[in-house]
Amino acid sequence: MPPLRPGLILVALAALLALGTALWLERARRTDLPAVASDQIVIGGPFRMTDHTGRRVTDADFKGRPMLLYFGYTFCPDVCPTELATMIAALKALGAEGAAVRPVFATIDPARDTVGHLAQYVALFSPDLIGLTGTPEDAAAMAAAYRVYYAKREEAGAPPDSYLMDHSSFLYLVGADGRFRTVFRGGEGPEALANALRAELRT
Ligand code: NI
C-alpha cells in the first residue's frame, strides 16, 4: 500500500468497516448467536487458482494444515514484501508450530503476476511460500471471498504496466479444516505476529 492520501483513507476505512462487519458476523456464527441463523461462511470459502508451479489448485488442496494467507501483488514496492517477510519470520520463530502452518500469497494483480513471475517472487521469501494467481475471475473471486479491498491506481502519463494497486493488508488464518479462523492486522512486526499466532494456534 502506498503512502496514504485522503481518498485512500476513506476507501481504507470503508474496507475496514466491511471487514469488521464480516468478522462480527463470522464471530456471531461461530458462537451460535441468533444474529446469524444460517451456517453461511462469511469470510473465506471455496476458491480455484493456479499455484506458482502452474498447478491448478482449489481450497480443498490446502486442507489438512492451517494456512496463513496474504493478498497482494509482486510489483508492490513496500507493504507486500514487508508483510511477507514478517509472515515468514513469525512462522520461523514459532518453530515446529510455525512449520505446520502453510504460508500463502494470493495475488490481486493476476494480469502481471504470471506463474513464472510469482515463482521467482515467492522464492525470495521462503521455499515454503506458495504463490497463487489465476484468471482475473479466479483472483477476483478469491479476493472477494476474503473481503479484500483493492483498486488499480493509474498515474496520468505513466507506462501502462507500471501501475500500483491500492489494497487492504491483513493476514488471514485458515484452519486445517479449511474454515476461516481469524485475521491479523498488517504492520505489526514478526514478534507480535508470532505471539498472536501462537495464542490462536493453541486454542
Ligand atoms: Ni502491497
Side-chain angles (χ1 to χ4, degrees):
M1 219 188 287
L4 291 178
R5 299 165 304 150
L8 182 58
I9 292 173
L10 279 178
V11 288
L13 282 175
L16 206 61
L17 191 67
L19 184 69
T21 307
L23 281 172
W24 181 82
L25 287 172
E26 171 69 15
R27 187 149 298 258
R29 185 184 65 75
R30 281 172 60 183
T31 53
D32 295 315
L33 291 177
V36 179
S38 75
D39 63 349
Q40 174 193 10
I41 292 175
V42 182
I43 297 179
F47 60 82
R48 290 175 179 280
M49 296 286 273
T50 302
D51 75 9
H52 67 275
T53 70
R55 193 169 69 104
R56 287 293 286 171
V57 293
T58 73
D59 52 295
D61 294 302
F62 292 86
K63 287 182 182 166
R65 278 171 66 184
M67 160 169 80
L68 190 58
L69 172 64
Y70 185 74
F71 290 85
Y73 68 114
T74 69
F75 286 79
C76 183
D78 40 36
V79 174
C80 291
T82 304
E83 282 311 314
L84 289 171
T86 296
M87 248 170 97
I88 298 302
L91 292 179
K92 204 168 193 174
L94 290 179
E97 270 177 303
V101 178
R102 203 180 255 135
V104 178
F105 174 63
T107 186
I108 43 94
D109 183 22
R112 288 184 301 180
D113 287 343
T114 59
V115 166
H117 196 88
L118 209 50
Q120 288 184 320
Y121 188 75
V122 293
L124 296 174
F125 296 92
S126 164
D128 299 326
L129 181 61
I130 296 170
L132 295 180
T133 185
T135 66
E137 293 77 19
D138 289 339
M142 185 174 181
Y146 281 89
R147 305 295 191 269
V148 176
Y149 161 77
Y150 64 100
K152 193 170 176 176
R153 186 146 65 91
E154 278 166 301
E155 305 291 344
D161 268 356
S162 70
Y163 57 87
L164 295 176
M165 301 289 290
D166 293 331
H167 66 95
S168 53
S169 182
F170 295 99
L171 294 153
Y172 299 82
L173 181 66
V174 178
D177 59 0
R179 290 164 74 102
F180 169 77
R181 288 280 298 273
T182 192
V183 68
F184 305 105
R185 206 152 27 110
E188 298 276 21
E191 203 173 318
L193 178 61
N195 289 335
L197 260 173
R198 184 187 291 112
E200 184 63 33
L201 289 169
R202 289 181 183 176
T203 57

